[in-house]
């Protein structure tokens, strides 16, 4: 059912309960559910069983009173056909055919807005994802973050939230120095395998590419920040570092562009230090009384906030541990006015959750408990030609996002992007995923993204054969839509807004992929069971309207996850 229909049925129950609850202190929470067995009806409600004891009534007796009142209410006409009492006091309702069919006109009227909600109106949310260190190309784990984070952002936007997509660059620390040392070793003529090659160095071909461009004194630019021009001096380690970081940030920009992901803001870890945000956070923690010194180190009492042990903030050498700038960064997020912050990260970040949240509570500036939220994803295994792919020449030690897009598209970047994005959100984030490139290349129902896109293309082909005016469908009579496959399509279309609302609330964009597969399955079942372009004009018009509505919802869902909806396959 549509949300408005649920609200109307809830209102019917509230009206039926009003005289029964009058003069009592009993309040009712009407919950509508779908019966486990469809033969029992369309809607089930157990409010009679919930209230019977408080009202000192037999549950079936109370259910009978409610059913009688509900059926006598004129407001149920056109919405509820019948009501039955089952078992100890369940109330099962059957929704009218007209109410079920009305979803078609709702979709046609709302178009691309169908499924949108306003639960997040006036609320600011920041969703941080990818946030790859600028030390190499984006790997498939970053790809999963990109797919999850972008789809999650679109979900929040669909529900009325003011969303900021943010990329956090860890552009400081040991890994950046290792990058600079790796490029410098290449500049000196060394390569992986040479005795002079640093043991900790990065081995991918991209290091040689950076060295070549540095020697040529090229200028590179990233999506934000100042351009970097190489000095060409092999001893100028600062120029090597700045050039290599900007070079790789630009490479990551290219990968993200190929993946169809755009960010609203880029935040540099180095700015937390240069702007004094880390020192300010440490000062707040010291003033809170939650820190102490021991063995030459500064500690935070994270045990007070549920962590398994207290954590070192500042080491003996005076440097901060990695969670301290994270605390500073999230204080900044809160100060920027975001009521909710969501981090999409790899499952290896699980250990940081308790200490970051502890630090945010310890500063005592009003940050709510549970801030930020985390969506942690597990690893992706890539299969190609029946074998696991573990390394990439481009990266040296892992499969890159660019590799995956190129392999999965067979030379077609759009096809590759569609496959990678759909596949990488098609499982819950906390489950491991096997990405089979051979499946992504198949043009059959074994390939889930092809299966969904083909449903859209199949409808487009039907409508080309019809050659009618879609505007004429606004007032079509939908009563001929009575076949079982039509009923399944109608029910699935009606479930779309609720699916989006639930996926957003549960931070589960995978639910969109599940829904699209179900909708495509219902469309394909309809296609093989019924004809659209029949001689009966009324039936033909109703079925065409159903097809146009289904095409629209397929488009809406695919757009949310950044996947195209081709007219031809």
């Amino acid at each position: 059912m549509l949300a408005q229909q649920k609200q109307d049925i809830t209102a019917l129950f509230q009206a039926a309960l009003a005289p029964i609850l009058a003069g009592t202190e009993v309040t009712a929470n009407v919950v509508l559910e779908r019966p486990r067995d469809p033969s029992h009806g369309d809607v089930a409600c157990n409010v009679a069983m919930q209230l019977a004891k408080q009202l000192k009534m037999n549950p079936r007796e109370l259910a009978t009173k409610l059913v009688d009142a509900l059926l006598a209410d004129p407001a149920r006409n056109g919405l509820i056909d019948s009501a039955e009492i089952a078992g100890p006091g369940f109330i099962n309702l059957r929704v009218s055919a007209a109410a079920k069919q009305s979803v078609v006109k709702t979709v046609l009227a709302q178009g691309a807005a169908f499924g949108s909600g306003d639960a997040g109106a006036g609320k600011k949310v920041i969703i941080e994802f990818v946030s790859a260190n600028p030390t190499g190309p984006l790997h498939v784990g970053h790809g999963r973050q990109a797919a999850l984070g972008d789809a999650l952002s679109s979900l929040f936007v669909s529900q009325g939230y003011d969303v900021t997509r943010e990329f956090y660059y860890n552009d400081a620390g040991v890994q950046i120095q290792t990058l600079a040392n790796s490029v410098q070793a290449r500049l000196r003529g060394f390569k992986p395998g040479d005795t002079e090659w640093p043991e900790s160095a990065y081995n991918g071909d991209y290091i040689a590419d950076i060295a070549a461009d540095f020697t040529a004194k090229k200028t590179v630019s990233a999506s934000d920040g100042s351009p970097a021009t190489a000095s060409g001096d092999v001893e100028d380690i600062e120029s090597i570092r700045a050039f290599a970081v900007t070079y790789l940030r630009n490479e990551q920009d290219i990968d993200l562009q190929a993946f169809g992901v755009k960010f609203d803001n880029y935040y540099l870890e180095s700015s937390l230090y240069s702007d004094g945000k880390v020192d300010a956070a440490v000062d707040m923690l010291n003033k809170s009384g939650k820190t102490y010194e021991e063995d030459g180190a500064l500690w935070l009492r994270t045990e007070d906030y549920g962590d398994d042990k207290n954590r070192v903030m500042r080491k003996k050498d005076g440097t901060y541990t990695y969670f301290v700038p994270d605390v500073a960064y999230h204080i900044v997020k809160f100060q920027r006015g975001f009521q909710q912050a969501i981090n999409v990260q790899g499952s290896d970040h699980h250990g940081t959750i308790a200490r970051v949240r502890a630090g945010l509570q310890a500063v005592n500036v009003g940050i709510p408990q549970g801030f930020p939220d985390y969506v942690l994803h597990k690893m992706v295994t890539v299969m190609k030609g029946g074998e696991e792919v573990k390394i990439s020449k481009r990266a040296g030690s892992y499969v890159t996002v660019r590799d995956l897009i190129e392999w999965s598209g067979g030379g077609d970047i759009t096809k590759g992007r569609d496959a990678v994005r759909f596949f990488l959100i098609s499982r819950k984030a906390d489950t491991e995923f096997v990405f089979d490139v051979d499946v992504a290349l198949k043009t059959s129902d074994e390939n889930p993204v092809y299966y969904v896109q083909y449903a859209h293309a199949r409808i487009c082909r039907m409508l080309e054969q019809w050659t009618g005016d879609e505007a004429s469908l606004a007032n079509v009579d939908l009563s001929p839509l009575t076949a079982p496959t039509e009923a399944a399509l109608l029910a699935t279309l009606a479930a779309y807004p609720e699916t989006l609302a639930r996926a957003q609330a549960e931070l589960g964009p995978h639910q969109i992929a599940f829904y699209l597969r179900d909708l495509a399955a219902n469309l394909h079942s309809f296609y093989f069971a019924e004809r659209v372009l029949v001689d009966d004009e009324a039936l033909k018009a109703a079925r065409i309207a159903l097809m146009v509505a289904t095409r629209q919802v397929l488009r809406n869902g695919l757009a949310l996850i950044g996947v195209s909806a081709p007219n031809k396959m």
Side-chain angles (χ1 to χ4, degrees):
M1 290 184 303
L2 295 170
Q4 185 58 55
Q5 292 170 339
K6 275 197 168 184
Q7 293 174 16
D8 292 343
I9 293 174
T10 300
L12 286 170
F13 273 105
Q14 295 287 7
L17 283 163
I20 299 172
L21 300 181
T24 74
E25 296 182 356
V26 178
T27 58
N29 178 30
V30 178
V31 177
L32 304 180
E33 298 177 328
R34 183 176 297 178
R36 293 180 182 178
D37 185 346
S39 67
H40 293 167
D42 302 304
V43 183
C45 183
N46 67 350
V47 68
M49 297 169 64
Q50 289 180 5
L51 301 179
K53 186 174 182 180
Q54 297 177 66
L55 295 172
K56 298 179 181 179
M57 294 179 66
N58 178 281
R60 283 189 66 91
E61 178 188 350
L62 177 55
T64 299
K65 287 180 176 292
L66 292 175
V67 166
D68 289 344
L70 188 148
L71 293 178
D73 191 333
R76 68 97 173 178
N77 293 334
L79 179 59
I80 301 298
D81 268 354
S82 65
E84 302 165 356
I85 301 168
F90 285 104
I91 299 174
N92 292 330
L93 307 179
R94 297 187 187 279
V95 177
S96 71
K100 295 175 182 177
Q101 294 156 355
S102 67
V103 65
V104 171
K105 290 187 179 179
T106 301
V107 175
L108 296 181
Q110 296 182 5
F114 180 71
S116 299
D118 58 4
K123 298 176 183 177
K124 290 183 64 179
V125 176
I126 182 169
I127 301 179
E128 178 206 333
F129 56 103
V130 182
S131 296
N133 295 338
T135 54
L138 298 181
H139 56 62
V140 291
H142 297 132
R144 193 171 193 185
Q145 284 188 39
L148 288 167
D150 199 43
L152 190 61
S153 299
S154 296
L155 262 177
F156 270 78
V157 170
S158 78
Q159 301 308 301
Y161 290 83
D162 180 1
V163 176
T164 294
R165 293 166 163 89
E166 186 151 288
F167 191 122
Y168 176 73
Y169 274 114
N170 181 346
D171 63 335
V174 175
Q175 293 184 41
I176 299 301
Q177 190 58 47
T178 300
L179 171 66
N181 293 340
S182 303
V183 176
Q184 189 177 54
R186 275 287 190 175
L187 288 166
R188 287 174 172 158
F190 305 128
K191 62 183 183 302
D194 293 347
T195 55
E196 298 87 352
W197 186 253
E199 185 178 348
S200 62
Y202 297 113
N203 297 324
D205 284 356
Y206 67 94
I207 297 296
D209 295 338
I210 297 171
D213 283 0
F214 184 85
T215 300
K217 299 182 179 181
K218 290 188 176 181
T219 298
V220 290
S221 300
S223 53
D224 75 319
S226 302
T229 300
S231 69
D233 181 358
V234 68
E235 301 303 326
D236 190 351
I237 193 68
E238 179 55 31
S239 178
I240 293 172
R241 185 199 65 78
F243 182 81
V245 167
T246 305
Y247 181 101
L248 287 171
R249 287 184 60 194
N250 179 60
E251 286 292 299
Q252 292 179 357
D253 289 342
I254 295 170
D255 289 344
L256 291 168
Q257 184 177 11
F259 208 42
V261 175
K262 295 181 180 179
F263 286 90
D264 301 303
N265 194 50
Y266 293 84
Y267 200 100
L268 302 183
E269 181 189 13
S270 58
S271 71
L272 292 170
Y273 293 93
S274 61
D275 295 344
K277 301 298 185 183
V278 173
D279 289 339
V282 173
D283 185 55
M284 284 191 282
L285 289 168
N286 284 332
K287 289 179 178 178
S288 74
K290 293 294 184 179
T291 64
Y292 63 95
E293 296 213 23
E294 184 176 291
D295 298 329
L298 180 66
W299 296 69
L300 179 64
R301 300 183 189 278
T302 55
E303 284 184 352
D304 293 354
Y305 302 94
D307 200 1
D308 58 350
K309 62 181 180 180
N310 293 332
R311 304 288 176 173
V312 174
M313 289 174 52
R314 188 178 62 234
K315 295 178 284 189
K316 292 179 183 180
D317 63 5
T319 61
Y320 292 118
T321 54
Y322 64 90
F323 88 92
V324 176
D326 280 355
V327 171
Y329 176 41
H330 285 88
I331 292 173
V332 171
K333 286 182 179 180
F334 182 72
Q335 291 171 338
R336 288 160 65 189
F338 294 107
Q339 292 102 322
Q340 186 175 6
I342 303 168
N343 298 342
V344 183
Q345 297 175 323
S347 56
D348 56 330
H349 287 77
H350 186 272
T352 68
I353 296 176
R355 63 199 75 168
V356 169
R357 287 177 174 170
L360 295 175
Q361 290 305 298
V363 296
N364 197 28
V365 294
I367 297 175
Q369 290 187 1
F371 185 101
D373 292 306
Y374 288 85
V375 175
L376 301 183
H377 70 86
K378 290 192 176 178
M379 65 178 292
V380 179
T381 299
V382 178
M383 301 290 293
K384 188 170 183 276
E387 297 181 354
E388 181 179 348
V389 184
K390 293 185 177 181
I391 63 172
S392 157
K393 184 178 180 182
R394 178 180 287 145
S397 59
Y398 54 81
V399 177
T400 70
V401 170
R402 208 179 302 180
D403 289 330
L404 206 55
I405 292 173
E406 291 172 357
W407 295 342
S408 301
D412 184 330
I413 294 298
T414 299
K415 182 180 176 182
R417 179 178 65 237
D418 287 347
V420 175
R421 288 187 69 131
F422 193 99
F423 276 44
L424 291 180
I425 72 152
S426 63
R427 296 287 187 278
K428 288 186 67 175
D430 61 1
T431 60
E432 293 187 0
F433 182 68
V434 176
F435 190 110
D436 193 325
V437 173
D438 298 333
V439 172
L441 289 169
K442 289 185 176 180
T443 54
S444 69
D445 57 10
E446 291 181 67
N447 179 350
V449 67
Y450 178 87
Y451 185 68
V452 173
Q453 290 178 320
Y454 190 63
H456 181 271
R458 175 165 269 168
I459 295 171
C460 292
R461 187 174 61 192
M462 288 182 192
L463 296 176
E464 284 180 1
Q465 295 170 356
W466 172 53
T467 68
D469 181 7
E470 291 183 19
S472 67
L473 302 174
N475 298 311
V476 69
D477 176 13
L478 299 169
S479 61
L481 300 177
T482 58
T485 54
E486 293 164 345
L489 265 177
L490 291 167
T492 307
L493 293 176
Y496 181 66
E498 189 175 83
T499 298
L500 297 193
R502 183 174 61 252
Q504 176 267 314
E506 297 176 358
L507 308 184
H510 64 280
Q511 296 179 40
I512 308 173
F514 288 1
Y515 172 86
L516 288 170
R517 288 202 299 264
D518 287 343
L519 182 58
N522 288 331
L523 182 280
H524 293 309
S525 294
F526 167 83
Y527 177 83
F528 288 113
E530 310 292 343
R531 287 180 57 231
V532 174
L533 304 180
V534 294
D535 293 334
D536 185 326
E537 290 296 329
L539 179 58
K540 178 169 67 175
R543 284 181 173 169
I544 288 171
L546 177 59
M547 291 298 96
V548 173
T550 303
R551 182 189 62 178
Q552 182 67 63
V553 177
L554 284 167
R555 283 180 180 174
N556 292 0
L558 287 168
L560 269 181
I561 60 176
V563 176
S564 68
N567 294 342
K568 296 180 180 180
M569 298 288 285

